[in-house]
Amino acid sequence: MAKKVVTFGEIMLRLAPEGYYRFVQAESYGATYGGGEANVSVSLANYGFDSYFVTKLPKHEIGQAGVNSLRKFGVNTSYISRGGDRVGIYFLEKGASQRPSKVIYDRAGSSIATATAADFNWEEIFDGAEWFHFTGITPALGDNVAEICLEACKAAKEAGVKISCDLNYRNKLWSKEKAGQVMGELCKYVDVCIANEEDASDVFGIKASNTDITAGELNREGYKDVAKQLADRFGFEKVAITLRESISANDNNWSAMLYDGTDYYFSKRYKMHIVDRVGGGDSFGGGLIAATLNGYDSQAIIEFAVAASCLKHSIEGDFNMVSMDEVLKLAGGDASGRVQR
């Protein structure tokens, strides 16, 4: 029987101009759906897990379209609470060359942001579950949602469910001080922490030495130190840190590190030409959870997660529409991109 995994967060309507058009040029917008934990849920469903996404969406057709976008990939939506007035929206302008991508949020007052504890029966939701995943975006939506996250973490722990969290700091949603305070409380329940170069610094003031993100330079030894500091502070079983070297908006080097409390494991590094980088971190999280639940060793876990995420950067939209076999093939060394006939 497939293992049950639960994720909790906000799914938003994504509106993006065609191709590389700027917002001020756009005369039409493509409509798709996405959001941190929803993206992870889709990845896990694609890998054959019994994947549940929990949120709150309006009863109207735009809310239903969001539900349908998940169902299409086999995500179980039976725990989605229905009510409230609106679906959160984000506008995406794709960057190119030295021009960065831009995101504008229109999500205030969305159904999940106005949710209450009564909307979710966590005991029922975690029945038979093996894993729970959320990100730092969800508690940033409001004190009420942070409280629901805390209830979910407590219920997951009570049910013996492993918990992962991607720190995912968003400065458009809350301050570093508030993030540190709220995430510090939630992280007491977390078993596996996922972060990037900036998250650990922004949320917890933990910095890598001799690293300049904007210059695209990374110091591996510094990240070992960051991972160990995070694990020591919160008792995490594992800390995964994604290492993105930005050459331009289109070209990045991509790798990651996993610390399992004893040793440090670095993945191979991929040179990526990017089609769409939104959801890149979520595809990494989905890969990390899948590989861990499948019982891979630490090196294989980080190779699988990075390969999954590398492939996502070649796919339009938030969701990582790849299979287990495709990820394993890339993780195993076939990065040629040659036509498969």
Side-chain angles (χ1 to χ4, degrees), residues 47 240-243 253-258 265-272 280 283-288 291 299-313 320 327 330-331:
Y47 301 145
I241 296 182
T242 54
L243 307 172
N253 292 330
W254 183 245
S255 61
M257 185 200 83
L258 182 68
Y265 301 85
F266 284 87
S267 73
K268 61 171 74 79
R269 186 172 72 167
Y270 295 98
K271 290 187 175 180
M272 303 185 302
S283 60
F284 175 84
L288 191 81
Q299 189 65 48
I301 287 171
I302 201 66
E303 294 294 0
F304 185 91
V306 169
S309 188
C310 176
L311 288 171
K312 162 64 197 81
H313 286 76
N320 193 19
V327 180
L330 178 57

Side-chain angles (χ1 to χ4, degrees), residues 198-224:
E198 297 162 274
D199 291 333
S201 168
D202 287 339
V203 181
F204 297 124
I206 294 172
K207 291 182 170 65
S209 52
N210 304 321
T211 294
D212 181 354
I213 302 151
T214 50
E217 294 166 8
L218 300 174
N219 167 29
R220 286 183 160 205
E221 293 305 312
Y223 289 108
K224 288 183 180 180

Side-chain angles (χ1 to χ4, degrees), residues 6-210:
V6 176
T7 72
F8 171 60
E10 177 167 31
I11 185 167
M12 291 185 288
L13 172 62
R14 162 173 158 170
L15 297 176
E18 181 188 342
Y20 291 98
Y21 275 57
R22 304 214 68 186
F23 288 136
V24 293
Q25 292 175 289
E27 294 182 355
S28 62
Y29 288 82
T32 54
Y33 287 83
E37 299 86 354
N39 301 342
V40 171
S41 265
V42 169
S43 281
L44 290 164
N46 285 336
Y47 301 145
F49 290 88
D50 192 11
S51 183
Y52 287 75
F53 176 64
V54 182
T55 192
K56 186 173 185 179
L57 284 168
K59 290 177 180 173
H60 57 51
E61 290 84 350
I62 306 302
Q64 189 59 42
V67 172
N68 293 351
S69 73
L70 295 163
R71 283 182 177 163
K72 185 163 73 170
F73 295 101
V75 173
N76 193 311
T77 58
S78 58
Y79 296 136
I80 292 181
S81 178
R82 303 302 292 271
D85 297 322
R86 69 177 302 231
V87 176
I89 297 170
Y90 83 93
F91 296 87
L92 172 70
E93 176 185 282
K94 256 203 238 176
S97 195
Q98 278 68 40
R99 174 171 61 84
S101 296
K102 284 192 174 175
V103 168
I104 295 173
Y105 289 124
D106 177 17
R107 66 200 298 181
S110 66
S111 289
I112 185 65
T114 57
T116 66
D119 288 317
F120 309 103
N121 179 347
W122 293 111
E123 194 179 334
E124 182 189 337
I125 290 166
F126 289 128
D127 184 35
E130 298 208 20
W131 201 283
F132 173 53
H133 177 76
F134 71 101
T135 77
I137 297 169
T138 304
L141 298 175
D143 291 344
N144 55 320
V145 193
E147 194 54 46
I148 294 167
C149 276
L150 188 58
E151 285 184 14
C153 285
K154 287 176 178 174
K157 268 282 173 278
E158 190 75 23
V161 175
K162 288 283 183 197
I163 302 174
S164 59
C165 175
D166 187 333
L167 292 181
N168 257 352
Y169 176 68
R170 296 287 183 268
N171 63 6
K172 290 183 178 179
L173 294 178
W174 58 356
S175 69
K176 292 176 183 178
E177 292 72 25
K178 179 84 174 186
Q181 181 190 338
V182 174
M183 295 306 293
E185 189 59 35
L186 290 168
C187 280
K188 293 174 186 174
Y189 299 89
V190 170
D191 300 295
V192 178
C193 176
I194 301 166
N196 68 16
E197 311 96 309
E198 297 162 274
D199 291 333
S201 168
D202 287 339
V203 181
F204 297 124
I206 294 172
K207 291 182 170 65
S209 52
N210 304 321

